[in-house]
Amino acid sequence: MNKSSVDSQMPRRKISCSGKRAIKMDRWVNRVAVVTGASSGIGAEIAKDLTKSGMIVVGLARRVERFDELKSGLPDEQKNNFHGLKCDVMDEEEVAKTFAAIEEKFGGIDVLVNNAGVYDPSMKLFQEGNSSKISETINTNITGFISCTREAFKSMKKRSFPGHIINMNSISGHNVPNLPTDYYFNVYAATKHAITALTETERQEFAKERLGIKVSSISPGICQTDLSPHFSKEALVSYPHLYPRDVSNAVLYVLGTPPHVQIQELTIKPIRVNS
């Protein structure tokens, strides 16, 4: 079965979309995007912006109760185009079942935003009793990343669709900055260095498939989120920092490039401005 015949069978809902964002994102209107870690912070902002841009968005998270708040922030005519599902990316079997259900309901996965991640800045790498937290960080940030990418790629390859996989990296995935007192990178920076290497591995493997699938890494600096109390508004009052909307705008920019343009790495850092 060729690409055009497969795509013609994929259920696509008509979505009204206007403004400059629609011009950049027109090739993705009515396409399916999966965003992991979408219940709050950067993931929630990305999920909302992709929905507003005309995509059918499936958000994955362990805390599904937070999706009601996300959905309530969408325009009424777009609420039905966001779907929240419970999925723990650390569970490979659960990931496979969830992605299979998405494909069955919507016909395929066209964009994957690998955003799920955990980080506890209060934990030292060599402190006693940290084994479970270290395992959770590795299994979420690396193993879960690989499982979700595998399933999304399988859907794209099955339909010969030139999709896009966006990996949420970090500036700590390229070097290990010296953090302020009481902030520790522990194993987190190592997992983000792994994402840098895995992103390049993906890119090389996908290029050999000749499907036109794009792979992009987005590496933000410190960002105000609820990932940890260390990144709350109060904790960051004295530090230059980004906001989830800044990172989401970067995702829209990367997705909005023409089919022949691939943003391989996009690094975003905050600067101090006069207030």
Side-chain angles (χ1 to χ4, degrees):
M1 186 176 292
N2 60 34
K3 173 181 178 296
S4 59
S5 61
V6 173
D7 280 353
S8 67
Q9 296 178 24
M10 293 177 62
R12 303 296 184 194
R13 302 182 183 183
K14 291 186 177 180
I15 304 172
S16 60
C17 192
S18 60
K20 292 183 178 179
R21 179 175 292 171
I23 296 172
K24 296 173 63 177
M25 294 287 290
D26 56 351
R27 70 183 291 250
W28 297 112
V29 170
N30 298 319
R31 289 290 178 182
V32 178
V34 174
V35 181
T36 67
S39 61
S40 63
I42 292 172
E45 195 72 21
I46 293 170
K48 286 189 291 185
D49 279 349
L50 292 182
T51 305
K52 292 176 182 178
S53 296
M55 298 193 75
I56 298 168
V57 178
V58 183
L60 305 183
R62 290 179 291 185
R63 300 172 297 181
V64 290
E65 66 277 4
R66 294 196 173 194
F67 284 137
D68 290 338
E69 181 181 352
L70 189 160
K71 202 165 187 175
S72 67
L74 293 170
D76 289 341
E77 67 274 14
Q78 293 172 340
K79 283 182 168 63
N80 289 335
N81 298 305
F82 173 78
H83 309 266
L85 297 178
K86 184 179 185 300
C87 182
D88 184 349
V89 299
M90 292 192 294
D91 187 331
E92 186 175 357
E93 183 177 349
E94 187 173 340
V95 168
K97 288 181 179 179
T98 301
F99 276 73
I102 295 169
E103 178 148 15
E104 180 178 358
K105 182 172 183 178
F106 298 108
I109 296 156
D110 305 314
V111 171
L112 169 66
V113 182
N114 270 316
N115 172 74
V118 295
Y119 174 35
D120 181 359
S122 67
M123 180 182 70
K124 296 180 181 179
L125 183 60
F126 300 111
Q127 74 183 42
E128 295 285 340
N130 65 0
S131 295
S132 62
K133 283 190 174 182
I134 286 178
S135 295
E136 181 186 18
T137 305
I138 292 173
N139 291 334
T140 301
N141 298 5
I142 300 178
T143 308
F145 165 95
I146 294 171
S147 297
C148 292
T149 301
R150 180 193 303 126
E151 297 303 318
F153 171 71
K154 182 167 65 175
S155 175
M156 295 173 191
K157 183 175 181 179
K158 177 181 177 181
R159 297 172 293 121
S160 297
F161 182 77
H164 201 146
I165 294 177
I166 298 175
N167 299 327
M168 202 54 58
N169 202 334
S170 165
I171 59 169
S172 66
H174 305 277
N175 60 77
V176 184
N178 189 11
L179 290 174
T181 305
D182 298 331
Y183 284 74
Y184 303 98
F185 269 124
N186 48 76
V187 75
Y188 178 79
T191 65
K192 289 303 183 179
H193 271 69
I195 295 305
T196 299
L198 287 167
T199 298
E200 183 56 31
T201 300
E202 283 178 30
R203 190 178 295 116
Q204 293 179 15
E205 289 191 5
F206 294 170
K208 292 175 182 177
E209 298 285 342
R210 298 184 180 276
L211 296 173
I213 298 173
K214 296 185 185 182
V215 182
S216 301
S217 164
I218 296 180
S219 300
I222 192 167
C223 184
Q224 181 184 310
T225 71
D226 61 358
L227 182 67
S228 160
H230 288 72
F231 302 117
S232 66
K233 179 179 179 180
E234 294 74 23
L236 297 179
V237 66
S238 300
Y239 300 100
H241 58 274
L242 302 169
Y243 299 92
R245 64 176 177 268
D246 302 317
V247 184
S248 183
N249 283 337
V251 171
L252 293 175
Y253 167 70
V254 167
L255 272 176
T257 55
H260 69 286
V261 175
Q262 177 174 244
I263 305 297
Q264 295 195 173
E265 170 62 39
L266 182 58
T267 303
I268 317 166
K269 293 184 178 181
I271 61 171
R272 188 176 299 278
V273 295
N274 294 328
S275 56

